[in-house]
Amino acid sequence: MPFDVDPGLFALLIIAAVFAGWVDAVVGGGGLIQLPALLVAFPTAPPQLMLGTNKMASVCGTTISAITYSRKIKLEHRLLWPTVGLALLGSGAGAVAALAVSASALKPIIIAVLLAVLVLVIARPRLGLEPQPKLRTPMRAAALMLAAGVAVAFYDGIIGPGTGIFLSVAFTAVIGFDYVSAAAHTKVVNAATNIGGVTVFALQGNVWWILGLVMGVGCMAGAWFGARTAMARGSRFVRIVLVVVVLALLARLSWDVWIGYYR
C-alpha cells in the first residue's frame, strides 16, 4: 500500500463506502461521503490518487445498483445506450482535465448549479413523482444525451460528487421520467462515467487498488440495499432524499469555499 493504514481507519472507510453506496443508489451524491472521507483519512496523499481510488470504489457500487434496478425497471435502451457511449468519452476527457483544472475553482459553479437544482425540485413538487411520456420527444432526447453524456460526464471525470443528482434531475426534468425510473437509467450512465474516469486514472497510476477494491465491496453492499429501498419506497421517498442530499452537498461545498477564501 502507498500509505500505512490503521485498521480502525480502514474500517471507518469501509463504513463510509457502505453509506455512500446506499445514498448513491437512491439518488446519487455518494461521492459527497466517500471522497471527503478519503481526503480526510490521507491528507498528504496526491488528490488525483484519492480521486482515482474513489472512482474505483464507485464503479463497484454503481454497477451493482444498475444491475439491481434493471431487474425490476424497464430501461429505454434507444435513449440509454447512446448516452452511455457519450458518457464513457466525456468522463475520460474530464479525468484527463483533472490534472490541469483545480477542483476548488469549480466549486462556486457547482454550488450555483446545485442551488438551481434545489429551486427546481422545490418549485415543482410534482416533478419526478409520475412519468410524463409526452416529454419524450426526439429533441428532448438529444438534449438529454448531450447534458448527461457530455456535460455531466465531463464533470464526473474532473471531480464527481453530485453526478448522480445532476443525472437524476436531467432524466426527470428533460425527458419526464419518475424518480425511480430515472434512478435506474442514471445508475447505468453513472457506471459508464465511473468506468471512463477510472480507466484514465489507472493509466496514470492514480488508483490505490487494494483500498479501492475493498471500499468497492462496501459500496456494492450499500448500493444493493439502496436500490431495493428506492424501488420499495417509491418516488416520493427518493424526492425527499434528493432534497436532503442536495442541501448536504451545498453545505459541504459552501464550507470548502468559505474556508478556502479566508485561508
Side-chain angles (χ1 to χ4, degrees), residues 36 71 101 256:
R71 289 175 175 171
V101 178
D256 288 346

Side-chain angles (χ1 to χ4, degrees), residues 190-233:
N190 206 175
T193 64
N194 284 329
I195 290 169
V198 80
T199 299
V200 173
F201 282 119
L203 291 173
Q204 296 166 345
N206 283 320
V207 177
W208 185 351
W209 290 102
I210 295 176
L211 181 59
L213 290 171
V214 171
M215 290 181 71
V217 173
C219 264
M220 290 167 68
W224 178 83
F225 183 59
R228 291 176 67 89
T229 302
M231 288 186 288
R233 300 294 295 275

Side-chain angles (χ1 to χ4, degrees), residues 156-202:
D156 191 35
I158 290 181
I159 180 168
T163 295
I165 294 170
F166 299 141
L167 289 172
S168 179
V169 170
F171 274 99
T172 53
V174 177
I175 211 70
F177 284 178
D178 64 85
Y179 280 123
V180 176
S181 293
H185 290 76
T186 289
K187 290 306 106 185
V188 179
V189 177
N190 206 175
T193 64
N194 284 329
I195 290 169
V198 80
T199 299
V200 173
F201 282 119

Side-chain angles (χ1 to χ4, degrees), residues 95-181:
V96 172
L99 293 175
V101 178
S102 169
S104 60
L106 295 174
K107 286 177 180 176
I109 299 172
I110 300 166
I111 289 171
V113 175
L114 281 169
L115 281 171
V117 167
L118 186 63
V119 170
L120 174 67
V121 172
I122 292 174
R124 297 178 60 186
R126 303 296 303 172
L127 178 70
L129 297 186
E130 299 290 341
Q132 300 181 54
K134 65 181 181 180
L135 295 181
R136 297 175 199 175
T137 64
M139 186 70 72
R140 283 178 171 267
L144 174 75
M145 290 176 194
L146 290 174
V150 179
V152 178
F154 185 82
Y155 161 74
D156 191 35
I158 290 181
I159 180 168
T163 295
I165 294 170
F166 299 141
L167 289 172
S168 179
V169 170
F171 274 99
T172 53
V174 177
I175 211 70
F177 284 178
D178 64 85
Y179 280 123
V180 176
S181 293

